[in-house]
Amino acid sequence: MFKVLVSDPISDLGIQQLMDAPDVLVEKKTGLAEDELAAIIGEYDALLVRSQTRVTEKILAAGTNLKVVGRAGVGVDNIDLEAATQRGIIVINAPDGNTITTCEHTFAMMMALARHIPQAYAKTVGGVWDRKSFLGVELRNKTLGVMGMGRIGSEVAKRAKAFGMNILAFDPFLTQDRAEKMEVKLASVDDIVRNADFMTVHTPLTPETRHMISRPQFEVMKKGMRIINCARGGIIDEAALVEAIDEGIVAGAAFDVFESEPPQLDHPFLSHPKIIVTPHLGASTVEAQENVAIDVSEEVLHILRNEPFKNAVNMPPVAASVMSRLQPYFSIGEKLGSFAAQSANQAVSEIHIDVAGDLSDIDILPLTRYIVKGVLGHHLGSEVNIVNCMHLAKSRDINVVVTKASKSKGFTNLLTVTLKTQNHEETLVAGTLLNGYGERIVQIDKFPVDMAPEGHVILISHNDKPGIIGRVGTLLGENDVNIASMQVGRKIIGGAAIMILTVDKAVQKEVLSQLTTLPELNRAIEITL
């Protein structure tokens, strides 16, 4: 008999299949302090939580019989994933249960914004019959820009089409073929900012997406834009948005999320007449709460019975003998994937992984997962992990190809990651572990290099002409950017070359733009590892 502890309020309907299972005993004990939960967790095979219970290292250490921790929801910030992984405890979540409810809340906010519903309601119940102040707009024939075409963004686009809207879609992994299948127009952030009537964001919050809509975007934005954010606070610069509304650039905004939650009482969103707010209600429906509980209960049951399962967010079991050989390469593999993703110019359609050397005689799927996570993680942030990365790649029509060879060009093992884009462009990064030197990147595209994959790197493509290195150094020095190391890769004198600079801190986008104005310099990007 398996024992399952439910330590947060979860409806009986959501866990009904666990309660009905003849081989499972479910007990509910909510509101427990850490010491109280640690004192009893040893007798349970599974722990089911929402967001209230913090599953700490202490609790996991005391869970001597724990096989799985299930989170009835998406986020797992309240669970110590590393401690669970070290103890072989599987952590699962329910990433699909909130999709429809968040999508529908987005549309509710869009409709409320278009027709001034909260403002009109407030005046009407206040005794003022005012029909003239709330002239709205139709959604039909308007252009909707969808930032992020994952599960939720795709559902929003589907419903927007039913309203007769034209869809501009941006996603770093959205290819032209997939866009055509979804009957949306592939667009850039700039395309959406300049041309959309409504804009809704559905991306994770990462360093790259933080304030992706800020003053530079508002300066070129189509006048009268209406903006909805039911994703994550921080994607849109709140202060810049208020300025854009006051200046007449943005007609209004509807936000379910804030950069800091709950917001301070003096937050400008709370008193602005053209901004609608709700207290992070995207997942707050009866159906969603039941669906996430049903999904996670089903997976818990599969795990307890040793049946196939999905939605694990930490490392799947791997034989110790295989793990000991693969684990040293997990970090370099993930960094190679991230480096390649940051270097690619277009949406990725294929990830080609080549492993050459001693590792070719074992199953390298765990290593493959780390590499794919590195590729996707640059854009998807914490949404991607080593278990769901293959599913996320497949859902975005990204083909993952793995080849192995016993010979490795002089290295014990050589990992090569090649990203192929929808325009048939290729970005290649290869790396290895060197005795006494650790992780090294040894090839970028066709150029041999030797660099440690860490910190802030400026990757420059240029023509091999005298004086360019000096001009680059001077420009960076004038902008207070200190160069820690530099190397140049080239095939022939005077031909195409690359320059790799490691610098002490992040480089401003304006500085990178200045670099590209230098003679003989073709491209300059920052890569953070």
Side-chain angles (χ1 to χ4, degrees):
M1 179 69 71
F2 299 112
K3 293 187 68 175
V4 176
L5 175 63
V6 179
S7 64
D8 285 335
I10 297 176
S11 71
D12 286 347
L13 181 60
I15 58 174
Q16 193 64 49
Q17 57 187 320
L18 281 175
M19 298 173 69
D20 291 343
D23 53 346
V24 175
L25 173 64
V26 177
E27 295 183 0
K28 287 187 173 184
K29 298 179 182 180
T30 60
L32 298 175
E34 181 184 35
D35 289 341
E36 293 174 317
L37 182 52
I40 64 171
I41 194 64
E43 61 184 276
Y44 294 96
D45 299 280
L47 174 63
L48 209 56
V49 303
R50 286 183 63 188
S51 58
Q52 293 92 324
T53 298
R54 297 201 62 81
V55 187
T56 63
E57 182 178 8
K58 179 178 180 179
I59 291 170
L60 292 166
T64 52
N65 289 318
L66 269 184
K67 301 172 181 63
V68 56
V69 175
R71 163 70 163 95
V74 180
V76 290
D77 295 343
N78 56 318
I79 302 171
D80 191 328
L81 294 181
E82 184 175 352
T85 300
Q86 290 175 353
R87 288 169 174 79
I89 300 170
I90 300 169
V91 179
I92 59 172
N93 68 347
D96 298 322
N98 295 336
T99 298
I100 299 303
T101 189
T102 304
C103 163
E104 291 185 353
H105 191 68
T106 298
F107 245 91
M109 297 287 269
M110 192 186 308
M111 294 293 290
L113 183 61
R115 302 304 296 269
H116 311 288
I117 291 173
Q119 298 92 331
Y121 168 81
K123 259 200 172 182
T124 304
V125 300
V128 180
W129 186 259
D130 181 4
R131 298 180 64 190
K132 296 181 179 179
S133 299
F134 303 113
L135 184 65
V137 296
E138 293 183 358
L139 300 187
R140 183 173 65 105
N141 293 330
K142 298 298 190 298
T143 297
L144 173 65
V146 182
M147 304 278 204
M149 289 293 287
R151 293 184 301 270
I152 297 170
S154 297
E155 291 293 337
V156 169
K158 185 188 302 181
R159 284 154 180 76
K161 287 182 62 62
F163 274 79
M165 302 185 81
N166 304 308
I167 314 300
L168 296 178
F170 166 77
D171 190 286
F173 298 109
L174 181 64
T175 62
Q176 183 63 45
D177 288 345
R178 183 165 171 255
E180 290 176 359
K181 290 177 184 177
M182 301 177 72
E183 298 182 343
V184 300
K185 183 177 179 181
L186 182 62
S188 66
V189 173
D190 188 64
D191 292 335
I192 290 174
V193 165
R194 292 178 182 272
N195 299 297
D197 301 296
F198 289 80
M199 179 173 68
T200 177
V201 296
H202 299 285
T203 69
L205 181 63
T206 68
E208 187 176 60
T209 63
R210 182 171 181 80
H211 289 184
M212 69 185 297
I213 305 299
S214 191
R215 286 181 178 85
Q217 287 71 41
F218 289 123
E219 288 174 359
V220 298
M221 185 171 285
K222 181 178 181 179
K223 190 172 182 179
M225 172 85 79
R226 290 171 171 83
I227 299 174
I228 302 97
N229 184 5
C230 293
R232 290 289 184 269
I235 296 172
I236 297 171
D237 185 335
E238 293 177 351
L241 172 61
V242 173
E243 291 177 2
I245 294 176
D246 292 341
E247 292 171 6
I249 298 170
V250 175
F255 272 55
D256 186 45
V257 291
F258 295 80
E259 292 192 32
S260 177
E261 296 183 359
Q264 297 293 318
L265 294 178
D266 61 351
H267 194 291
F269 280 19
L270 304 185
S271 57
H272 203 290
K274 294 185 178 180
I275 300 179
I276 300 168
V277 294
T278 50
H280 208 144
L281 299 179
S284 297
T285 62
V286 172
E287 293 86 351
Q289 297 305 315
E290 290 179 352
N291 286 340
V292 294
I294 290 170
D295 288 350
V296 80
S297 295
E298 182 177 357
E299 294 306 302
V300 166
L301 202 55
H302 286 320
I303 291 170
L304 293 178
R305 292 173 174 172
N306 278 326
E307 297 171 349
F309 61 91
K310 59 181 181 178
N311 297 334
V313 295
N314 60 345
M315 187 181 299
V318 179
S321 58
V322 174
M323 179 63 73
S324 63
R325 294 176 63 184
L326 290 178
Q327 193 165 23
Y329 291 89
F330 287 165
S331 176
I332 180 66
E334 185 169 350
K335 289 176 181 177
L336 291 174
S338 179
F339 193 108
Q342 294 178 67
S343 303
N345 280 319
Q346 302 289 333
V348 176
S349 59
E350 181 174 293
I351 303 171
H352 190 104
I353 300 168
D354 182 76
V355 177
D358 293 348
L359 296 181
S360 62
D361 63 345
I362 60 174
D363 181 4
I364 61 167
L365 178 58
L367 176 56
T368 299
R369 290 180 180 275
Y370 273 93
I371 294 171
V372 175
K373 175 179 180 288
V375 174
L376 301 183
H378 174 61
H379 296 293
L380 301 182
S382 59
E383 180 182 333
V384 61
N385 55 64
I386 59 172
V387 175
N388 68 10
C389 61
M390 304 302 283
H391 170 73
L392 290 175
K394 183 178 180 181
S395 69
R396 286 161 170 77
D397 291 338
I398 299 174
N399 191 30
V400 180
V401 179
V402 179
T403 59
K404 296 192 289 186
S406 58
K407 295 181 180 180
S408 60
K409 300 179 183 178
F411 299 103
T412 303
N413 286 292
L414 181 67
L415 309 181
T416 303
V417 179
T418 304
L419 303 186
K420 299 181 180 181
T421 71
Q422 58 183 354
N423 295 334
H424 307 293
E425 296 179 358
E426 293 189 1
T427 299
L428 182 150
V429 185
T432 188
L433 297 180
L434 294 179
N435 289 334
Y437 296 95
E439 299 174 350
R440 311 298 294 182
I441 291 179
V442 297
Q443 184 178 346
I444 299 174
D445 293 327
K446 60 184 178 180
F447 304 106
V449 298
D450 180 17
M451 63 169 287
E454 58 188 17
H456 300 283
V457 177
I458 301 177
L459 178 62
I460 295 173
S461 301
H462 63 98
N463 299 320
D464 183 33
K465 301 294 182 182
I468 191 166
I469 293 176
R471 288 192 289 270
V472 168
T474 298
L475 191 152
L476 292 178
E478 291 172 348
N479 285 277
D480 195 32
V481 178
N482 189 49
I483 300 173
S485 67
M486 183 198 75
Q487 62 174 293
V488 175
R490 67 181 186 181
K491 281 288 189 179
I492 59 172
I493 297 175
I498 60 172
M499 190 186 310
I500 306 164
L501 308 173
T502 58
V503 294
D504 293 342
K505 61 182 181 181
V507 182
Q508 294 181 341
K509 292 181 180 179
E510 293 79 5
V511 177
L512 295 174
S513 297
Q514 290 177 41
L515 283 172
T516 58
T517 64
L518 294 177
E520 304 296 339
L521 198 149
N522 304 316
R523 185 184 182 215
I525 60 173
E526 182 183 20
I527 293 173
T528 304
L529 298 171

